[in-house]
């Protein structure tokens, strides 16, 4: 059940109406927990026991850690072991083998599918353990812990919300306090970027996959890389926007996940604007504990490479994801010695040049993200510098490509903010137009890209 399905619309409407009924007010947390379990189990009911084990085990380690902090590392290892078991086991096992191990029960467990959103709820679990243990908080109710970890708007693809931010919000909610206008704007924007922008671009960027990319002309390969950069932004921004809007409807404010990342003047700035909740998590729970930038230049560079490499592997168990993370680590390391000098020179041409370099490098790195097979990624990249005479693919339309990418371009050019005052009276019509385009010009249905993580 995805956000863009009619089943989800019906589900969300029923939960919303029930949630604010006066007799239910005392049970709002429990209702959201049950609704979240239903939402998760709708697609993978066989993995609901795993979710219960993950949350129940984390709660047990939390109770132990609040009593004795020496249990905290064990709780973190427990969660990382769950993530490693499901996400990285086939780095060491052949999935095509008739039997992975001799034991039938273990073989059954090893063949369980990758749980949707496991990377996200494992990070929530670790945040819960660390934040509450450090703050020496009182033991929270089990239902509150379940809600924080599996709250359905953020369960599958985030944003990754820190426990210290979410847990204080768990109080009785009133319908009168719901910011309906703000929530509606977020939801409409999310659906528009997903249905109109991302889904239509997906129909074209599908040609980046093996073996379809072998039919592309050289210029087509270049075009598709940039289109994929717009697509993945629109896709993930769309999901995050819908999640934020849904959270507001139920009285919970989730963190902003994107802030015009393609306007970044440096790679370090990019990571304060792209997938903000992930970069914040990595900085808080990995980069700083490793020593951050407190132990000299070489140690700082090493920490950056470790964090970005692990950040790449967090997305998937493949050398291509590792290469994507390592590339971003190299970008950060290479720019770091020159950052203060560049920031001191405030000229428009230099700013535009810096923005162009960052955008180009980030876009080229998406090749390794789009193609998890490292050999395919290298072959695609090589083909960008090899002239070909292949015919133009039937679904690659240059004029439509610009049309579908235009909303991302306009958003990043801050067109709306420049004319915010003048456009206020026309805002309802503008959002109405977004709804119409999302409905009438929606691209073929496709799963959210980050569902696979």
């Amino acid at each position: 059940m995805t956000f863009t399905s009619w089943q989800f619309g019906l589900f969300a409407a029923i939960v919303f109406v029930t949630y604010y009924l006066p007799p239910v007010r005392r049970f709002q947390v429990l209702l959201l927990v049950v609704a979240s379990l239903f939402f998760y189990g709708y697609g993978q009911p066989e993995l609901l026991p795993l979710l219960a084990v993950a949350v129940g085990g984390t709660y047990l380690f939390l109770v132990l850690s609040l009593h004795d902090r020496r249990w905290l590392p064990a709780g973190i290892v427990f969660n990382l072991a769950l993530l490693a078991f499901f996400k990285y086991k086939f780095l060491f096992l052949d999935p095509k083998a008739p039997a992975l191990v001799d034991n039938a029960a273990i073989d059954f467990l090893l063949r369980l599918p990758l749980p949707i959103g496991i990377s996200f709820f494992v990070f929530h679990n670790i945040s819960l353990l660390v934040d509450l243990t450090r703050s020496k908080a009182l033991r929270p109710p089990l239902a509150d812990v379940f809600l924080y970890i599996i709250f359905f708007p953020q369960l599958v693809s985030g944003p990754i919300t820190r426990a210290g931010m979410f847990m204080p919000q768990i109080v009785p909610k009133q319908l009168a306090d719901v910011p309906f206008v703000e929530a509606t704007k977020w939801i409409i924007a999310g659906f528009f970027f997903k249905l109109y922008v991302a889904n239509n671009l997906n129909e074209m960027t599908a040609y980046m996959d093996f073996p379809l990319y072998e039919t592309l002309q050289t210029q087509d390969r270049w075009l598709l890389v940039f289109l994929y950069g717009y697509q993945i932004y629109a896709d993930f921004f769309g999901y995050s926007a819908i999640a934020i809007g849904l959270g507001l409807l139920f009285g919970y404010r989730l963190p902003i996940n994107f802030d015009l990342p393609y306007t970044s003047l440096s790679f370090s700035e990019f990571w304060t604007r792209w997938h903000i909740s992930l970069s914040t998590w990595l900085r808080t729970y990995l980069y700083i504990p490793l020593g951050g930038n407190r132990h000299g230049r070489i140690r700082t560079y090493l920490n950056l490479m470790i964090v970005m490499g692990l950040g790449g592997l967090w997305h998937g168990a493949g050398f291509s994801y590792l290469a994507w993370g390592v590339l971003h680590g190299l970008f950060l390391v290479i720019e770091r010695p020159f950052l203060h000098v560049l920031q001191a020179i405030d000229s428009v041409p230099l700013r535009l040049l810096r923005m162009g370099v960052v955008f180009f490098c980030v876009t080229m790195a998406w090749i390794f993200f789009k193609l998890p097979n490292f050999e395919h990624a290298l072959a695609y990249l090589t083909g960008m510098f090899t002239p070909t005479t292949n015919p133009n693919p039937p679904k690659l339309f240059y004029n439509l490509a610009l049309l579908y990418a235009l909303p991302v371009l306009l958003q990043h050019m801050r067109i709306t903010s420049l004319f915010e005052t003048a456009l206020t009276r026309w805002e309802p019509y503008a959002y109405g137009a977004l709804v119409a385009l999302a409905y009438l010009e929606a691209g073929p249905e496709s799963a959210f890209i980050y569902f696979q993580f």
Side-chain angles (χ1 to χ4, degrees):
M1 180 162 46
T2 65
F3 283 176
T4 55
S5 67
W6 69 265
Q7 293 94 333
F8 179 80
L10 180 62
F11 159 78
I14 292 173
V15 175
F16 177 79
V17 171
T18 308
Y19 184 73
Y20 286 105
L21 292 175
V24 181
R25 187 167 300 153
R26 293 175 51 200
F27 309 101
Q28 286 178 328
V29 171
L30 185 60
L31 172 65
L32 286 181
V33 169
V34 172
S36 299
L37 288 171
F38 175 82
F39 170 75
Y40 191 82
Y42 188 88
Q44 292 185 313
E46 71 277 12
L47 291 174
L48 279 174
L50 165 69
L51 193 62
V53 168
V55 180
T58 299
Y59 184 73
L60 174 61
F61 280 111
L62 174 63
V63 173
L64 293 171
S65 299
L66 290 173
H67 178 70
D68 186 343
R69 288 189 58 156
R70 287 176 294 182
W71 283 99
L72 177 59
I76 294 173
V77 169
F78 166 74
N79 278 282
L80 293 178
L82 278 177
L83 183 63
F85 177 82
F86 282 96
K87 200 157 187 175
Y88 305 108
K89 58 192 174 187
F90 291 124
L91 290 175
F92 312 99
L93 299 170
D94 181 7
K96 298 178 182 179
L100 299 176
V101 293
D102 294 334
N103 187 290
I106 297 177
D107 187 79
F108 171 77
L109 291 175
L110 287 170
R111 292 188 183 278
L112 285 174
L114 177 69
I116 295 175
I118 186 171
S119 298
F120 289 91
F121 68 72
V122 161
F123 273 20
H124 276 105
N125 291 353
I126 293 174
S127 175
L128 178 82
L129 288 166
V130 174
D131 285 8
L132 297 194
T133 301
R134 284 177 176 174
S135 65
K136 299 179 181 179
L138 297 175
R139 183 176 70 183
L142 180 59
D144 290 8
V145 171
F146 259 93
L147 178 60
Y148 162 65
I149 296 172
I150 68 170
F151 185 38
F152 71 87
Q154 65 179 14
L155 173 59
V156 176
S157 293
I160 302 169
T161 310
R162 292 184 59 178
M165 174 189 175
F166 188 90
M167 299 294 283
Q169 298 186 62
I170 303 179
V171 295
K173 308 296 184 181
Q174 303 284 344
L175 183 62
D177 297 329
V178 176
F180 282 103
V181 174
E182 183 184 0
T184 302
K185 287 180 180 180
W186 277 113
I187 292 172
I188 290 175
F191 275 103
F192 172 75
F193 273 90
K194 171 57 179 172
L195 297 176
Y196 177 81
V197 181
N199 282 4
N200 278 305
L201 290 179
N202 178 69
E203 192 174 17
M204 300 181 192
T205 59
Y207 281 97
M208 291 181 69
D209 296 329
F210 176 82
L212 294 177
Y213 64 70
E214 295 180 342
T215 68
L216 296 173
Q217 295 182 17
T218 305
Q219 65 268 27
D220 297 334
R221 295 195 184 211
W222 281 94
L223 172 66
L224 287 174
V225 169
F226 286 94
L227 292 184
Y228 183 73
Y230 295 128
Q231 178 200 341
I232 193 172
Y233 168 79
D235 193 280
F236 200 17
F237 170 80
Y239 183 98
S240 299
I242 297 171
I244 290 170
L246 289 171
L248 290 173
L249 290 179
F250 292 97
Y252 292 90
R253 189 167 289 276
L254 303 180
I256 304 298
N257 218 17
F258 293 90
D259 181 20
L260 308 180
Y262 291 150
T263 63
S264 302
L265 301 180
S266 66
F267 298 103
S268 57
E269 182 183 351
F270 176 81
W271 281 105
T272 66
R273 293 175 176 271
W274 176 275
H275 204 342
I276 300 170
S277 62
L278 173 63
S279 56
T280 301
W281 195 99
L282 291 173
R283 183 175 64 253
T284 304
Y285 302 107
L286 188 56
Y287 180 68
I288 293 176
L290 283 174
N293 59 359
R294 302 188 303 272
H295 300 291
R297 180 177 297 179
I298 300 301
R299 179 67 179 273
T300 298
Y301 294 164
L302 178 61
N303 290 341
L304 286 171
M305 295 299 298
I306 291 173
V307 170
M308 297 311 300
L310 292 176
L313 285 176
W314 175 84
H315 288 87
F319 191 66
S320 202
Y321 288 118
L322 175 61
W324 175 78
V326 168
L327 273 175
H328 274 277
L330 286 172
F331 295 155
L332 292 170
V333 167
I334 292 171
E335 79 169 4
R336 195 173 182 88
F338 309 102
L339 212 49
H340 291 298
V341 176
L342 291 172
Q343 290 171 347
I345 306 173
D346 189 16
S347 68
V348 174
L350 182 60
R351 289 171 63 89
L352 291 175
L353 177 63
R354 290 173 60 192
M355 188 185 302
V357 169
V358 172
F359 175 68
F360 178 80
C361 292
V362 167
T363 301
M364 294 296 286
W366 286 131
I367 296 172
F368 296 95
F369 200 92
K370 170 65 174 173
L371 297 168
N373 184 299
F374 187 70
E375 292 181 357
H376 295 165
L378 285 181
Y380 187 97
L381 184 62
T382 302
M384 295 175 69
F385 300 92
T386 306
T388 63
T389 57
N390 293 326
N392 213 36
K395 292 185 179 179
L396 186 58
F397 305 108
Y398 285 80
N399 54 339
L400 290 180
L402 177 61
L403 189 64
Y404 295 136
L406 191 59
V408 177
L409 291 168
L410 293 177
Q411 184 193 40
H412 279 71
M413 291 168 63
R414 296 181 172 91
I415 294 297
T416 54
S417 61
L418 289 174
F419 302 99
E420 187 172 354
T421 303
L423 293 176
T424 299
R425 61 180 295 186
W426 301 104
E427 192 174 59
Y429 302 101
Y431 277 94
L434 295 185
V435 172
L437 284 171
Y439 178 73
L440 297 174
E441 293 294 330
E445 184 177 355
S446 63
F448 286 93
I449 292 174
Y450 266 69
F451 270 23
Q452 61 188 300
F453 307 131

